[in-house]
Amino acid sequence: MSHAVNALDHALRADPQGLAFLEQTASLYVLDNASTPGHPTTYGWWNFLNDALNEVERYESEGSASSLEGHVRLLATITCRVARRPPSSDRRLVKICFANASMTHMNLMANAQLSQSLVGSNAQLRERNMGRIAAIVFD
């Protein structure tokens, strides 16, 4: 089981850590400056949803997606809540993440375009994955 499906599985079993992880992921962004050195990215709900939907689609192609019905329902429920947040709130959360990370990584502050790039990437991810979850739920 991969990380996104595993986190959803823990939450479905009412595991406090699984529930806390989903709540935090839906509420804030973190800066990942380690996965690809020199190319920081943000990670928040839309990234998690993207990972989870990729996993669901992989399970579907293997013919074992029926065991993930509760997982998809939980994804849809949380996504509905997060999608009610206006895009301007998402932009603000990404900028806060970047500002917080800049306190420890001073070199980030020198790159004004990076903040805008991270905000733009997040907006694209939001739009693409809202459509993907809708297609899966209404299918």
Side-chain angles (χ1 to χ4, degrees), residues 12-82:
L12 286 169
R13 289 187 275 131
D15 175 0
Q17 290 178 332
L19 293 167
F21 173 80
L22 292 180
E23 182 62 36
Q24 289 174 355
T25 302
S27 303
L28 55 88
Y29 289 86
V30 295
L31 189 78
D32 177 6
N33 201 22
S35 294
T36 310
H39 299 285
T41 59
T42 55
Y43 193 90
W45 180 255
W46 304 113
N47 305 84
F48 179 81
L49 179 62
N50 189 62
D51 293 346
L53 292 177
N54 287 343
E55 293 171 21
V56 166
E57 289 169 353
R58 185 175 52 83
Y59 278 92
E60 281 180 344
S61 71
E62 295 170 356
S64 56
S66 61
S67 63
L68 297 178
E69 193 171 305
H71 298 72
V72 171
R73 202 170 311 124
L74 180 58
L75 277 173
T77 300
I78 297 171
T79 299
C80 187
R81 189 186 81 198
V82 174

